């Protein structure tokens, strides 16, 4: 008997059949995989087209008017002629709209007429003359009291205890303590009345006649503007109407 086994003809035929079966099976799997991939690719493209066109519909919806929503109105004191004496602290407003009223042409005309009708020359009330905040008929933000209102005066920067000097010759017509603006000296010079606020020590009294450059007090703090840098608040009224002191400084 031979030591080696020889496969017969039937065995060889069986191997060929198995190879053919697995080859056919592999081809079928590949065909199925390609069909699934093709279907997935088609669905993905349709989904992408839908996603791209969707924002156009959303933008059309945004363009529609919104009803049933009431927006809060900001607290704004827009009257620039309101007296600063005994100023009442307005209700604090959070998240108020920062859009403020613009200056009207009539306001500019009034300011020009006032400037031209008065012969008034003012000097600086502080040693540096540095302006921290200018006069504004429009409402500006007061961060200390969290409110918008006109700034009907000029804030001159200074250090605590600095001398505050008279800006013009005149007479002391009032000495008072204001809840919002602190210790205040009012000096009248013809049709002009100048108020110096935020003083800590007052050197004059009502009825005194003073000259330009004379010390009327020393700087302290302005209660309603205490969150700002240290300064004094100077306001000017001519014939009872608010005016910008800076328009008359150096007007020799």
């Amino acid at each position: 008997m031979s030591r080696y086994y020889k496969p017969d003809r039937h065995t060889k035929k069986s191997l060929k059949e198995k190879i053919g079966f697995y080859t056919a099976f592999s081809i079928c799997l590949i065909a199925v995989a390609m069909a699934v991939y093709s279907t997935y690719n088609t669905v993905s493209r349709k989904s992408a087209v839908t996603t791209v066109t969707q924002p156009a519909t959303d933008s059309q919806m945004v363009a529609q008017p919104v009803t049933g929503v009431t927006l809060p109105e900001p607290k704004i004191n827009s009257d620039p002629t309101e007296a600063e004496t005994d100023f009442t602290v307005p209700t604090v407003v959070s998240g108020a709209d920062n859009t403020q009223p613009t200056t009207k042409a009539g306001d500019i005309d009034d300011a020009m007429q006032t400037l031209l009708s008065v012969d008034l020359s003012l000097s600086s009330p502080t040693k540096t003359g540095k302006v921290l905040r200018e006069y504004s008929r429009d409402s500006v933000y007061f961060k200390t009291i969290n409110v918008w209102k006109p700034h009907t005066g000029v804030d001159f920067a200074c250090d605590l205890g600095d001398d505050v000097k008279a800006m013009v010759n005149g007479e002391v017509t009032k000495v008072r303590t204001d809840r919002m603006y602190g210790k205040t000296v009012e000096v009248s010079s013809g049709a002009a009345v100048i108020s110096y606020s935020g003083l800590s020590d007052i050197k004059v009294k009502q009825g005194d006649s003073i000259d330009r450059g004379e010390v009327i007090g020393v700087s302290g703090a302005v209660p309603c503007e205490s969150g700002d840098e240290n300064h004094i608040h100077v306001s000017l009224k001519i014939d009872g109407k608010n005016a910008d002191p800076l328009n008359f400084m150096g007007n020799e």
Side-chain angles (χ1 to χ4, degrees):
M1 179 179 291
S2 175
R3 295 176 58 187
Y4 298 98
Y5 172 75
K6 294 182 179 180
D8 59 8
R9 204 181 311 172
H10 293 289
T11 302
K12 291 181 178 179
K13 184 178 180 180
S14 177
L15 288 173
K16 290 181 178 179
E17 288 177 352
K18 288 182 178 181
I19 293 172
F21 171 78
Y22 285 114
T23 300
F25 181 73
S26 299
I27 293 173
C28 289
L29 286 178
I30 293 172
V32 170
M34 291 179 66
V36 171
Y37 175 78
S38 177
T39 303
Y40 173 79
N41 193 33
T42 302
V43 173
S44 297
R45 288 180 179 178
K46 290 182 178 180
S47 177
V49 171
T50 303
T51 303
V52 170
T53 57
Q54 185 65 31
T57 303
D58 293 341
S59 63
Q60 293 172 359
M61 293 177 63
V62 171
Q64 299 299 321
V66 179
T67 58
V69 178
T70 302
L71 298 177
E73 294 184 359
K75 180 69 176 180
I76 300 175
N77 177 4
S78 58
D79 183 6
T81 61
E82 179 176 344
E84 294 176 346
T85 308
D86 297 329
F87 183 88
T88 302
V89 180
T91 304
V92 173
V93 177
S94 299
D97 185 358
N98 291 346
T99 302
Q100 301 306 317
T102 57
T103 303
K104 299 178 182 179
D107 295 337
I108 299 176
D109 292 341
D110 290 344
M112 288 300 297
Q113 290 178 5
T114 300
L115 180 63
L116 296 174
S117 64
V118 177
D119 183 15
L120 181 66
S121 177
L122 304 179
S123 60
S124 173
T126 59
K127 60 183 179 182
T128 65
K130 178 183 176 182
V131 175
L132 186 64
R133 176 180 281 181
E134 296 183 355
Y135 175 95
S136 175
R137 294 177 65 90
D138 294 338
S139 291
V140 297
Y141 184 59
F142 286 68
K143 64 181 180 181
T144 305
I145 55 178
N146 191 25
V147 71
W148 289 89
K149 77 182 196 74
H151 188 251
T152 54
V154 176
D155 294 342
F156 289 91
C158 58
D159 294 327
L160 284 172
D162 279 357
D163 287 340
V164 178
K165 301 176 181 180
M167 302 174 74
V168 69
N169 300 340
E171 179 185 349
V172 178
T173 51
K174 190 177 294 185
V175 176
R176 68 177 188 274
T177 299
D178 189 279
R179 290 188 300 162
M180 295 298 291
Y181 290 90
K183 292 182 178 180
T184 300
V185 171
E186 182 180 283
V187 176
S188 297
S189 178
V193 178
I194 304 174
S195 295
Y196 306 82
S197 299
L199 306 176
S200 64
D201 187 18
I202 297 175
K203 305 293 186 181
V204 295
K205 64 182 184 298
Q206 185 173 340
D208 285 351
S209 294
I210 58 175
D211 298 325
R212 181 204 303 266
E214 183 177 342
V215 176
I216 61 175
V218 297
S219 65
V222 181
C224 70
E225 299 173 341
S226 60
D228 300 329
E229 295 178 32
N230 193 72
H231 63 277
I232 61 167
H233 179 90
V234 177
S235 62
L236 169 66
K237 287 188 176 183
I238 297 176
D239 291 329
K241 295 181 179 180
N242 289 309
D244 184 355
L246 295 181
N247 288 339
F248 299 91
M249 290 189 64
N251 185 26
E252 296 294 349

